[in-house]
Amino acid sequence: MSARIPTQRRPVPRPAVPDASPGDMVLQALRIALHTAFGGLLLLAVIQMSLTALPWPARVSAYVLSALLAGVYLAGTVAESRHASSGSGPEPRRYGAAWLGVVTLLWLCLLVISPEFSWLAFPLFFLDLQLLRTVPALAAVLVTTAAVVLAQWARTGQPSAAALLGPVIGALFAVIMGSAYSALHRESLNQRLALAELHRTRGELAASQHFAGVLTERERLAREIHDTLAQGLSSIVLLSRAAGTALESGDHSLARERLALVQNTAAENLAEARRFVRDLAAAPLERGSLDTRLAALCSDTARRAAAGGRQLQCLFRVDGTPVPLHPAYEATLLRAAQSLLANIESHAKASRAVVTLGFSPDSVALDVFDDGAGFDPGMLPAGPRPDGSGFGLLSLRERIADLQGSLSVESTPGEGTVVALRLPLEPAADPAAVSGRKI
């Protein structure tokens, strides 16, 4: 049977930072391969250009432009990597197109000097497709392809199928690979956003569960305080007033008797408070079994009423064959009897009260009857009153609901009140099965 459990305050767990996904690692590897290919092809082009019979001024210009191209390319990749890792530096999406324009312009200058720099067209295809929108990217790929074709024709002096098909096939392959790269990048970005949303939602769920646990614990504390300490303090107030009345009338013997009851009640409440602080679930029944505690409770109620100058006969009886109950069941039944007898003692103006503990094969019941003033059940408040009273039945209903039980109140003004509560038991009242429930 499920029920609310005492919750402890625990720190809200912080969502873990998601590790890099396989898609992110693939993209990172592709970026590294692209940058490595650009640097390697640039070095290869410079070496091949050095082996050709170029005039010295053109050769020096090529060296200078190659060094400048390498510096600009390296600066852009370093800035992009720094922004990706720490968020500092220029925004790649904002300045990427301008950087690509400078790289392409330097490459075109080198291509004019020597066709050997045609090798760099292939990584430039990928840069165009990665940094530019679809239409500008395709236009840039087309212009780059045309520049390579023209450079190759200029080298041979006449058009050839190899000079045309090589750059075109490379451009088509780059477009296909670039499209796959973009799709993988979008999928990785969506996955990252989904993971971030999942971790954010998990953090909110953990916070809401923590808050719900705190509220549940507060409700439990409110019920325990009302059914133990508050009722005991109320009895102490009534008994101390009765002792004061006895002193004013000169009946010192009666005053001492009532003060003794005050001391006993205060001692019991002090013990309850200490048990409460230790949070021992079985503490309410330390002085004996449930029927023993209920019988003692009836005797204490009658004795306090007599000390207050009221005659209240409080009887206890057991119907059926008692069976072992889960400690939470026993605690709930005891708290219910305490709360209901306290209400009879304080408000009912009754002369007789009967507490009946009944056992049947599938349930345990507690009936509390009094012949007092009664009331209209329809006038019961939906919540505690502004002065804090009216919490008893609400607390009792919550206790019974936690154990999947039922509570009924029958009363008529001038004809007394009967409060009946019932808690279901497992078939055959197997104590091991009952004790295995979540309480």
Side-chain angles (χ1 to χ4, degrees):
M1 176 177 300
S2 91
R4 295 179 182 171
I5 59 173
T7 28
Q8 297 179 348
R9 293 178 179 267
R10 295 181 180 178
V12 178
R14 298 177 61 184
V17 178
D19 297 330
S21 65
D24 291 334
M25 292 187 287
V26 171
L27 291 174
Q28 181 67 19
L30 290 176
R31 282 194 292 268
I32 294 175
L34 175 64
H35 300 326
T36 303
F38 188 93
L41 292 175
L42 177 60
L43 179 61
L44 177 63
V46 170
I47 293 175
Q48 288 185 335
M49 183 269 299
S50 301
L51 299 178
T52 59
L54 277 178
W56 181 250
R59 189 185 303 271
V60 172
S61 299
Y63 287 147
V64 172
L65 288 174
S66 297
L68 184 59
L69 175 59
V72 171
Y73 191 91
L74 181 62
T77 56
V78 170
E80 187 272 339
S81 177
R82 180 180 301 173
H83 187 276
S85 60
S86 63
S88 60
E91 169 64 40
R93 288 293 180 183
R94 186 175 181 181
Y95 299 101
W99 171 79
L100 179 61
V102 174
V103 169
T104 303
L105 180 61
L106 292 173
W107 171 73
L108 288 174
C109 294
L110 287 170
L111 192 63
V112 171
I113 295 174
S114 173
E116 304 297 338
F117 289 95
S118 299
W119 293 102
L120 293 175
F122 195 70
L124 285 176
F125 290 154
F126 285 100
L127 291 177
D128 292 335
L129 294 169
Q130 181 180 357
L131 297 178
L132 302 177
R133 297 182 181 274
T134 302
V135 174
L138 293 177
V141 170
L142 182 61
V143 170
T144 302
T145 303
V148 172
V149 171
L150 291 175
Q152 296 299 320
W153 283 358
R155 167 188 283 185
T156 60
Q158 61 181 0
S160 65
L164 175 63
L165 292 178
V168 171
I169 292 175
L172 291 175
F173 180 75
V175 170
I176 295 173
M177 294 297 296
S179 300
Y181 177 90
S182 299
L184 183 60
H185 181 268
R186 286 193 300 271
E187 178 64 24
S188 176
L189 180 61
N190 292 335
Q191 185 179 16
R192 190 179 307 164
L193 293 175
L195 283 175
E197 178 67 17
L198 175 63
H199 284 278
R200 183 188 66 81
T201 305
R202 183 182 299 173
E204 293 179 353
L205 178 61
S208 64
Q209 289 177 339
H210 172 76
F211 183 68
V214 171
L215 291 181
T216 301
E217 181 69 2
R218 287 178 180 174
E219 292 177 2
R220 187 186 72 87
L221 295 179
R223 290 199 300 262
E224 293 294 331
I225 291 173
H226 175 271
D227 294 342
T228 56
L229 303 182
Q231 300 290 4
L233 292 174
S234 176
S235 297
I236 290 173
V237 171
L238 294 176
L239 290 172
S240 61
R241 289 175 180 172
T245 302
L247 285 175
E248 291 176 357
S249 63
D251 192 343
H252 297 283
S253 175
L254 180 58
R256 281 194 297 270
E257 179 183 349
R258 291 174 177 176
L259 287 175
L261 285 174
V262 169
Q263 293 174 353
N264 291 337
T265 305
E268 290 178 359
N269 275 264
L270 179 59
E272 289 285 356
R274 288 172 176 169
R275 297 188 192 106
F276 188 66
V277 171
R278 293 197 307 267
D279 199 25
L280 299 178
L285 303 183
E286 286 178 353
R287 289 186 353 203
S289 62
L290 176 61
D291 53 352
T292 302
R293 290 299 307 274
L294 290 175
L297 177 62
C298 289
S299 299
D300 292 343
T301 301
R303 188 167 60 253
R304 284 195 304 269
R310 299 184 306 277
Q311 294 299 320
L312 174 61
Q313 182 185 14
C314 189
L315 304 177
F316 171 71
R317 64 189 185 188
V318 177
D319 288 344
T321 303
V323 296
L325 298 176
H326 191 280
Y329 277 37
E330 295 183 340
T332 297
L333 294 172
L334 178 61
R335 296 304 187 209
Q338 287 175 328
S339 178
L340 294 173
L341 288 178
N343 285 340
I344 293 173
E345 184 181 351
S346 301
H347 308 297
K349 300 178 181 179
S351 61
R352 188 169 182 268
V354 179
V355 177
T356 304
L357 180 63
F359 294 90
S360 65
D362 60 349
S363 65
V364 58
L366 180 73
D367 297 333
V368 179
F369 159 78
D370 72 82
D371 62 355
F375 61 92
D376 182 2
M379 300 301 293
L380 288 174
R385 300 183 182 92
D387 61 356
S389 62
F391 188 74
L393 277 178
L394 295 175
S395 171
L396 185 54
R397 289 186 188 278
E398 291 178 357
R399 284 183 180 274
I400 301 305
D402 284 346
L403 299 179
Q404 306 299 317
S406 61
L407 174 70
S408 63
V409 179
E410 297 180 6
S411 183
T412 302
E415 297 184 8
T417 302
V418 177
V419 179
L421 61 91
R422 177 185 175 276
L423 299 177
L425 299 178
E426 295 288 346
D430 183 4
V434 175
S435 62
R437 298 172 178 165
K438 293 181 182 179
I439 298 297

